[in-house]
């Protein structure tokens, strides 16, 4: 059997397990992502040998394949699909709150977690702020499914999804700066701070420009067609084209995907998509997103076998507390201007800021030569696990306690 065939079978086994878990979870009306993580944990901690699973997990998480698959393949799919599902006018109505959370909240969280882990946990500055960047990204996939099933308002769903779409791109830029350039900028003093700000602006503004231009051009293309298979192909070309073109010219590919997706969905949807096309595109990306998410969250659970928790429980608990407290402070200050958010809604948005697959994927993408890589992996996995399992399983009861479910 060729090596490619073995890899294909290994991934197929993981996919079969993931889809089976999703089917059972949906039958019993539980969040897919949490069920997948728990099953991954079970398979990762059991002493019973699972040859294909062991080989697949080792191949994916211990090589560059995992990072390439999630960052370069799955992430454009997930974020592109999210832009198609979130009408821009819903987001625009909440623009002050979303921008406050995505910009102000992300930066406040980044600074608080970075300095706290440096001074309280003794992590070197580069390690502390790299970890802080990972913890500034939110993953609302499982939260939004719970919001939907509980009938939480469109306002809260739009804010949660809008925050995640934009702060994922910002967090990735901060991660790149912290893990590659931070020590150089620190040595440069105030000039380094200015260089860091300029680099961030180049990544972010460049990504927006690439996405808007491509989104506009592709929207013009579909004006001349009423052919949904072709228009689905155009949407895929937009998502991946935006990402890879932006990365090639060293700006943010993730921000480019989000910007391009919003232009394509809002502007392109008005001038070039029939209702049949919109329905077909959404259905197509629903299927692709289901497959991507199923594999991602199962692998997150399986990754436990590569983490050494021995003697690390104190630092893990402190890291979880730091991340939770930073989220509370960041959300409080970044939503102060939002007069339409009441105390109960702020509590739900705070507890719903879960960490997920993006944080794990970025942590795994760190080169083996990066000092502190194992510490970052340990803390990132621990916080993500706590977030998905503890926070994820308690969100629905919290919605009922706060009285924010549909009547």
């Amino acid at each position: 059997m060729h090596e490619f065939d073995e890899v294909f079978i290994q991934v197929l086994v993981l996919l079969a397990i993931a889809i089976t878990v999703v089917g059972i979870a949906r039958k019993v009306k539980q969040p897919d992502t949490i069920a997948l993580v728990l099953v991954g944990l079970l398979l990762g901690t059991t002493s019973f040998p699972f040859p294909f699973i062991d080989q697949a997990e080792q191949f994916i998480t211990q090589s560059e394949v995992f990072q390439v698959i999630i960052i370069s393949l799955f992430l454009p799919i997930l974020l592109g699909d999210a832009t198609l599902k979130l009408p821009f006018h819903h987001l625009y109505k909440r623009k002050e709150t979303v921008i406050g959370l995505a910009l102000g909240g992300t930066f406040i969280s980044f600074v608080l977690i970075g300095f706290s882990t440096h001074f309280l946990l003794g992590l070197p500055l580069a390690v502390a702020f790299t970890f802080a960047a990972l913890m500034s990204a939110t993953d609302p996939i499982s939260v939004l499914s719970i919001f939907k099933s509980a009938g939480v308002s469109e306002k809260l769903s739009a804010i949660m999804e809008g925050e995640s779409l934009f702060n994922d791109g910002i967090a990735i830029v901060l991660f790149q700066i912290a893990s590659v350039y931070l020590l150089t900028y620190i040595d440069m003093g105030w000039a380094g701070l200015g260089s860091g700000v300029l680099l961030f602006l180049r990544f972010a503004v460049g990504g927006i420009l690439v996405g808007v231009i491509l989104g506009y051009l592709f929207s013009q293309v579909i004006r001349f067609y009423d052919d949904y298979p072709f228009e689905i192909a155009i949407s895929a070309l937009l998502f991946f084209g935006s990402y890879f073109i932006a990365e090639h010219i060293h700006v943010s590919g993730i921000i480019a995907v989000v910007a391009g997706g919003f232009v394509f969905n809002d502007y392109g949807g008005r001038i070039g998509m029939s209702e049949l096309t919109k329905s077909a595109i959404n259905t197509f990306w629903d299927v692709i997103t289901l497959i991507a998410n199923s594999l991602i969250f199962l692998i997150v659970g399986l990754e436990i076998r590569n983490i050494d928790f021995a003697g690390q429980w104190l630092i893990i608990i402190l890291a979880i507390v730091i991340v939770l407290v930073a989220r509370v402070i960041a959300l409080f200050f970044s939503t102060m201007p939002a007069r339409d958010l009441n105390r109960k809604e702020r509590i739900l948005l705070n507890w719903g800021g879960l960490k997920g697959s993006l944080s794990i994927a970025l942590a795994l993408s760190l080169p083996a030569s990066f000092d502190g890589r194992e510490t970052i992996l340990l803390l990132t996995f621990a916080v993500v696990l706590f977030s998905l399992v503890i926070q994820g399983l308690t969100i629905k009861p919290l919605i009922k306690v706060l009285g924010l479910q549909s009547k």
Side-chain angles (χ1 to χ4, degrees):
M1 185 180 293
H2 296 298
E3 183 179 351
F4 176 80
D5 294 333
E6 292 182 2
V7 172
F8 181 78
I9 291 174
Q10 292 164 9
V11 175
L12 188 61
V13 169
L14 282 183
L15 180 59
I17 294 171
I19 296 300
T20 300
V21 172
V22 170
I24 295 171
R26 292 191 174 187
K27 199 67 177 176
V28 298
K29 298 181 179 179
Q30 295 299 318
D32 304 350
T33 52
I34 298 173
L36 286 162
V37 170
L38 290 174
V39 170
L41 284 171
L42 180 64
L43 293 175
T45 54
T46 183
S47 58
F48 189 80
F50 296 97
F52 277 116
I53 295 175
D54 294 342
Q55 294 169 17
E57 185 273 337
Q58 184 176 15
F59 174 77
I60 291 172
T61 62
Q62 297 303 303
S63 70
E64 294 181 358
V65 173
F66 183 78
Q67 186 262 341
V68 171
I69 287 176
I70 291 187
I71 302 298
S72 303
L73 178 61
F74 285 173
L75 207 53
I77 289 172
L78 298 177
L79 294 176
D81 175 67
T83 62
L84 297 177
K85 298 294 189 298
L86 181 60
F88 189 75
H89 64 274
H90 285 179
L91 197 59
Y92 189 78
K93 283 194 299 184
R94 315 293 174 195
K95 58 183 181 297
E96 292 87 359
T97 305
V98 171
I99 292 173
L101 279 169
L103 285 175
T106 303
F107 279 110
I108 293 171
S109 176
F110 174 69
V111 171
L112 288 176
I113 295 173
F115 281 116
S116 297
T117 51
H118 173 62
F119 289 111
L120 298 180
L121 303 185
L123 301 184
L125 275 174
V127 176
F129 279 94
T130 299
F131 173 68
L134 298 178
M135 294 299 101
S136 298
T138 56
D139 188 345
I141 295 169
S142 54
V143 177
L144 290 174
S145 65
I146 297 171
F147 277 18
K148 184 177 179 181
S149 65
V152 172
S153 68
E154 170 268 318
K155 176 179 76 173
L156 290 178
S157 296
I159 290 171
M160 181 64 71
E161 188 161 11
E163 176 200 3
S164 176
L165 280 173
F166 290 108
N167 93 340
D168 280 358
I170 293 169
I172 289 176
V173 174
L174 291 174
F175 170 79
Q176 292 170 330
I177 292 173
S179 60
V180 179
Y181 303 104
L182 182 65
L183 291 180
T184 301
Y185 289 156
I186 289 174
D187 290 338
M188 293 169 62
W190 286 107
L193 177 62
S195 298
V197 171
L198 288 175
L199 182 62
F200 175 84
L201 290 175
R202 192 194 82 189
F203 272 117
V205 175
I208 291 172
L209 288 175
V210 170
V212 168
I213 292 170
L214 290 179
Y216 176 80
L217 293 175
F218 280 55
S219 296
Q220 296 302 318
V221 171
I222 64 173
R223 291 180 64 181
F224 301 102
Y225 298 89
D226 185 17
D227 181 348
Y228 70 80
F230 177 77
E231 291 173 85
I232 290 172
I234 288 292
S235 70
L237 190 59
L238 170 63
F239 297 155
F240 292 112
S242 298
Y243 178 82
F244 284 106
I245 289 173
E247 290 293 317
H248 182 70
I249 62 175
H250 304 294
V251 297
S252 175
I254 297 305
I255 292 177
V257 172
V258 172
F262 274 127
V263 172
F264 187 74
N265 182 46
D266 191 62
Y267 176 68
R270 283 189 285 109
I271 68 170
M273 288 188 207
S274 65
E275 290 303 317
L276 177 61
T277 296
K278 290 179 181 178
S279 176
I281 286 179
N282 283 328
T283 301
F284 172 81
W285 288 110
D286 279 345
V287 175
I288 302 301
T289 300
L290 173 64
I291 293 172
N293 275 329
S294 298
L295 283 173
I296 289 169
F297 283 97
L298 180 64
I299 292 169
V300 168
L302 284 169
E303 177 62 13
I304 192 173
R305 69 183 65 194
N306 298 313
I307 306 295
D308 182 13
F309 291 95
Q312 304 288 343
W313 292 108
L314 179 59
I315 191 174
I316 287 173
I317 293 170
L318 287 174
I320 291 172
V321 171
I322 287 170
V323 171
L324 290 176
V325 172
R327 171 70 178 178
V328 172
I329 296 172
L331 188 137
F332 174 78
F333 283 105
S334 62
T335 61
M336 282 183 70
R339 300 182 183 278
D340 61 335
L341 278 179
N342 60 42
R343 184 176 60 86
K344 291 182 178 181
E345 290 171 332
R346 282 184 168 87
I347 291 173
L348 184 58
L349 287 173
N350 173 64
W351 196 242
L354 305 191
K355 317 303 174 187
S357 55
L358 175 61
S359 300
I360 294 286
L362 289 174
L364 287 168
S365 74
L366 288 168
S369 58
F370 184 86
D371 287 337
R373 183 179 188 270
E374 294 306 314
T375 300
I376 289 176
L377 275 175
L378 169 73
L379 298 182
T380 301
F381 183 81
V383 174
V384 169
L385 183 60
F386 173 88
S387 180
L388 290 174
V389 177
I390 305 301
Q391 290 179 255
L393 290 176
T394 54
I395 287 175
K396 203 161 189 175
L398 180 62
I399 292 170
K400 293 180 179 178
V401 170
L402 295 174
L404 295 175
Q405 76 274 30
S406 59
K407 303 301 181 184

